[in-house]
């Protein structure tokens, strides 16, 4: 295991070594006439030209001169009095970055911002050129340039700087609580519900609304089919992202509204009002006489899903709805899908472990861009015309101000698969606890192991500063903990096959 981990780390480091050196920075803009408070904008720079200060207080606040009518490719493009103690804005194109920055430096500029209407790329050069240039050069998007002049006017000053990226953002605490809470609640609910249905059939309620969906046992064939479907969908999304992303968004709206209804219906059924029924209706997916409160709940769940679908790109608050719907979807899936044995758990987790590692660490060597298919699809391709993001993730905005948060990744993400896959094992552990009357020792141990695996994932993310396959850490932590506990308690045989039922209703 250690040797394999070192091999993966070496491969990742090799991949990073061959990429073009580039970094995200910030340009802090203020108005010369007072006006509104200053604002930071994203820039992409190459520290091999010149380093930027890490602290804004140490960066020089210089006049930002709009020279975007020129490409700055020849001496004739220079103003008569040069760019003394200024940071000129010039348009990208017609010549190399080196040609532009050499002319700017020769005319007295203390920095250069190249405005680009295209995707920002690192301003590259060669070693000789790097040694010749002593001023920073960076790319600024055309959209940000328009925003600067709209908010601050033409008389502005700017400072270029690049603050250190924090090792971990505080939003990881929120993601950790949501993920572990969902796994624990989903595993507990699924285990209790399954055993109740097996051993308390005499307490079944004849009311149609209270009948629960049947759980689906996962077979080895279903596991193989599921993994093939995951691989196919991921590859299709990589090549046809702009077309398929709307299909995924539609599926998420439908599935999440169903999950929200499933999670809230037990609570609504406890309310003392709204019990009157609407009989002889032709409503789809409802029984002959649904209660008014259940119809209202269904309308509410659909409305929440529709609101998210319409306003999904509102970064300030739409992520809250997405996380709520995502958690409801995960709880619903944990309740509906059941792994009947530890053998089935092991098969599913190991196959998805290989799937996750392959698409994060191996695919960069197979794609022309050198990017991971998994990371590219999860975060949305940079060249996507729709700029849509897949909703199958928990997302929380970054709480620390940093160039990465401003430029590229304003949110931290955790995929639903990193909750559902270990969550199915946690649910199995809870069912087995009830079967052998073990006071939930398996459930608690597996939930704690999941939390530890998630912390290890965050540590790896901080150390490697790139997307991590969470199942690489979650699967070993949960599988080894569960199996070792069963071996220590001399129950590995029963745990492996799921046999030995001896229900204790006090644990339900």
């Amino acid at each position: 295991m250690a040797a394999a981990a070192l091999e993966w780390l070496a491969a990742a480091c090799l991949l990073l070594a061959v990429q073009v050196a580039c970094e995200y920075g910030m340009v802090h803009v203020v108005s010369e006439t007072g006006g509104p408070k200053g604002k930071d904008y994203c820039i992409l720079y190459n520290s091999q030209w010149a380093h930027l200060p890490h602290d804004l207080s140490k960066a020089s606040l210089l006049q930002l001169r709009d020279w975007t009518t020129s490409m700055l490719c020849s001496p004739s493009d220079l103003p008569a009095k040069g760019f003394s103690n200024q940071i000129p804005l010039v348009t990208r194109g017609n010549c190399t970055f080196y040609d532009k920055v050499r002319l700017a430096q020769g005319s007295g500029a203390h920095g250069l911002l190249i405005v680009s209407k295209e995707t920002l790329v690192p301003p590259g050069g060669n070693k000789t050129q790097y040694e010749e240039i002593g001023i920073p050069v960076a790319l600024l998007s055309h959209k940000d340039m328009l925003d600067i002049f709209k908010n601050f006017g033409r008389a502005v000053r700017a400072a270029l700087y690049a603050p250190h990226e924090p090792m971990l953002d505080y939003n990881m605490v929120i993601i950790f609580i949501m993920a572990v809470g969902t796994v624990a609640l989903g595993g507990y609910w699924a285990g209790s519900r399954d055993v109740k249905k097996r051993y308390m059939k005499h307490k079944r309620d004849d009311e149609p609304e209270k009948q629960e969906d049947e759980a689906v046992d996962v077979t080895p064939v279903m596991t193989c089919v599921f993994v093939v479907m995951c691989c196919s969908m991921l590859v299709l999304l990589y090549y046809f992202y702009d077309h398929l992303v709307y299909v995924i968004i539609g599926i998420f709206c439908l599935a999440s509204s169903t999950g929200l209804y499933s999670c809230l219906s037990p609570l609504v059924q406890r309310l003392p009002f709204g019990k009157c029924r609407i009989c002889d209706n032709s409503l789809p997916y409802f029984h002959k006489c649904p209660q008014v409160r259940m119809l209202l709940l269904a309308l509410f769940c659909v409305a929440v899903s529709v609101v998210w679908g319409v306003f999904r790109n509102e970064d300030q608050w739409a992520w809250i709805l997405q996380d709520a719907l995502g958690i409801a979807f995960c709880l619903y899936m944990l309740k509906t899908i059941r792994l009947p044995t530890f053998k089935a758990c092991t098969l599913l987790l190991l196959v998805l472990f290989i799937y996750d590692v392959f698409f994060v660490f191996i695919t960069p060597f197979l794609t022309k861009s050198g990017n991971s298919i998994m990371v590219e699809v999860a975060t949305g391709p940079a060249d996507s015309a729709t700029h849509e993001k897949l909703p199958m993730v928990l997302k929380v905005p970054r709480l620390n101000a940093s160039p990465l948060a401003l430029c590229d990744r304003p949110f931290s993400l955790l995929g639903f698969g990193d909750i559902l896959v270990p969550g199915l094992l946690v649910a199995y552990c809870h069912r087995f606890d009830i079967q052998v009357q073990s006071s939930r020792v398996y459930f608690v141990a597996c939930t704690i192991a999941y939390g530890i695996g998630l912390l290890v994932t965050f540590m790896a993310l901080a150390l490697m500063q790139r997307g991590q396959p969470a199942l690489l850490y979650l699967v070993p932590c949960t599988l080894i903990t569960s199996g070792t506990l069963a071996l220590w308690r001399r129950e590995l045989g029963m745990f492996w096959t799921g046999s030995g039922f001896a229900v204790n209703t006090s644990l339900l």
Side-chain angles (χ1 to χ4, degrees):
M1 181 69 72
L6 288 174
E7 289 176 5
W8 289 121
L9 182 59
C13 292
L14 178 62
L15 177 64
L16 290 174
V18 300
Q19 293 178 343
V20 178
C22 68
E23 298 177 49
Y24 289 115
M26 296 179 178
V27 54
H28 184 76
V29 178
V30 296
S31 174
E32 289 186 340
T33 59
K37 185 180 178 181
K39 183 178 178 180
D40 288 327
Y41 293 89
C42 169
I43 58 174
L44 185 67
Y45 78 103
N46 185 343
S47 59
Q48 291 173 295
W49 293 109
H51 289 283
L52 293 180
H54 297 301
D55 194 341
L56 178 59
S57 62
K58 297 180 180 179
S60 300
L61 197 61
L62 304 172
Q63 183 184 7
L64 188 65
R65 184 166 183 178
D66 182 12
W67 204 249
T68 51
T69 55
S70 167
M71 294 287 187
L72 196 61
C73 289
S74 66
S76 61
D77 293 330
L78 292 169
K81 296 182 180 180
F83 296 118
S84 180
N85 293 322
Q86 296 176 338
I87 300 177
L89 279 168
V90 300
T91 302
R92 178 182 174 184
N94 283 11
C95 56
T96 66
F97 294 120
Y98 168 71
D99 293 332
K100 296 178 186 293
V101 69
R102 179 176 58 83
L103 288 171
Q105 178 175 274
S107 64
H110 282 208
L112 177 66
L113 285 177
I114 302 172
V115 178
S116 175
K117 293 184 179 180
E118 305 170 5
T119 302
L120 300 186
V121 297
N126 58 48
K127 184 177 180 181
T128 303
Q129 294 170 349
Y130 292 147
E131 293 174 350
E132 182 182 341
I133 301 301
I135 65 172
V137 55
L139 267 72
L140 176 75
S141 73
H142 184 262
K143 181 183 69 173
D144 284 344
M145 182 201 70
L146 296 178
D147 189 75
I148 289 172
F149 293 139
K150 177 182 177 181
N151 293 328
F152 299 95
R154 294 285 169 175
V156 294
R157 289 186 172 271
L160 306 179
Y161 73 113
H164 288 293
E165 289 289 342
M167 287 290 288
L168 277 177
D169 197 281
Y170 294 122
N171 65 357
M172 291 298 186
V173 176
I174 302 175
I175 289 181
F176 179 85
I177 293 172
M178 288 196 299
V180 176
T182 302
V183 165
L185 181 59
Y188 181 86
W189 188 13
S192 298
R193 171 184 175 274
D194 180 70
V195 176
K196 280 182 180 179
K197 291 194 70 173
R198 290 195 182 195
Y199 293 97
M200 305 176 75
K201 291 182 179 180
H202 62 283
K203 291 188 177 182
R204 285 182 302 178
D205 199 315
D206 292 330
E207 295 182 9
E209 297 86 350
K210 293 184 179 180
Q211 290 180 354
E212 299 184 57
D213 297 329
E214 292 294 331
V216 178
D217 283 343
V218 177
T219 64
V221 174
M222 291 173 63
T223 299
C224 295
V225 171
F226 174 72
V227 173
V228 171
M229 289 176 60
C230 286
C231 295
S232 303
M233 180 56 70
L234 195 60
V235 173
L236 287 173
L237 279 168
Y238 181 74
Y239 287 106
F240 307 103
Y241 184 89
D242 288 342
H243 302 286
L244 293 178
V245 65
Y246 293 108
V247 176
I248 302 299
I249 290 173
I251 293 173
F252 175 76
C253 288
L254 179 62
S256 61
S257 59
T258 303
L260 188 61
Y261 178 88
S262 176
C263 292
L264 295 180
S265 58
L267 300 177
V268 173
Q269 287 173 354
R270 294 177 179 271
L271 297 177
F273 51 83
K275 295 182 180 180
C276 55
R277 298 178 179 278
I278 302 177
C279 294
D280 299 325
N281 66 82
S282 57
L283 296 173
Y285 305 110
F286 282 93
H287 299 285
K288 291 183 178 180
C289 294
Q291 293 181 346
V292 170
R293 59 187 180 182
M294 304 312 294
L295 280 176
L296 292 176
L297 174 62
L299 291 175
F300 170 77
C301 295
V302 171
V304 172
S305 181
V306 169
V307 168
W308 174 84
V310 173
F311 299 100
R312 61 186 179 275
N313 293 319
E314 294 289 336
D315 287 344
Q316 291 186 342
W317 57 269
W319 64 272
I320 300 175
L321 278 185
Q322 179 172 323
D323 288 350
L325 290 170
I327 290 173
F329 169 75
C330 290
L331 292 174
Y332 174 69
M333 295 300 291
L334 289 174
K335 185 184 73 168
T336 304
I337 300 175
R338 182 178 65 183
L339 295 173
T341 65
F342 185 59
K343 178 181 179 180
C345 294
T346 303
L347 175 63
L348 178 65
L349 266 66
L350 288 181
V351 171
L352 291 177
F353 169 90
I354 297 171
Y355 158 86
D356 213 19
V357 170
F358 174 80
F359 278 101
V360 173
F361 284 152
I362 304 301
T363 54
F365 298 100
L366 306 178
T367 58
K368 292 182 179 179
S369 63
N371 295 327
S372 158
I373 289 181
M374 180 76 77
V375 174
E376 188 90 354
V377 169
T379 59
D383 59 351
S384 171
T386 63
H387 301 292
E388 293 284 357
K389 307 294 182 184
L390 288 180
M392 314 302 279
V393 293
L394 296 182
K395 55 188 293 188
V396 178
R398 292 179 180 268
L399 304 179
N400 292 327
S402 70
L404 187 62
L406 181 66
C407 298
D408 185 49
R409 301 174 193 168
F411 293 90
S412 294
L413 311 176
L414 184 69
F416 290 168
D418 302 326
I419 297 173
L420 288 174
V421 175
L424 293 172
L425 175 57
V426 172
Y428 173 76
C429 288
H430 187 218
R431 290 200 307 272
F432 189 78
D433 275 324
I434 298 172
Q435 293 162 15
V436 298
Q437 306 180 38
S438 60
S439 302
R440 300 194 182 98
V441 62
Y442 286 95
F443 170 72
V444 172
C446 195
T447 303
I448 293 174
Y450 175 80
I452 293 173
L454 203 56
L455 290 176
V456 173
T457 303
F458 293 163
M459 291 173 59
L461 182 65
L463 292 174
M464 300 177 67
Q465 290 296 310
R466 62 187 305 240
Q468 295 296 305
L471 293 183
L472 174 64
Y473 313 100
L474 296 174
V475 168
C477 283
T478 52
L479 274 183
I480 292 174
T481 300
S482 304
T484 302
L485 181 59
L487 182 63
W488 178 68
R489 290 173 58 86
R490 298 181 181 179
E491 296 170 342
L492 185 57
M494 290 190 298
F495 191 62
W496 182 256
T497 60
S499 60
F501 277 72
V503 70
N504 181 358
T505 56
S506 65
L507 294 175
L508 296 173

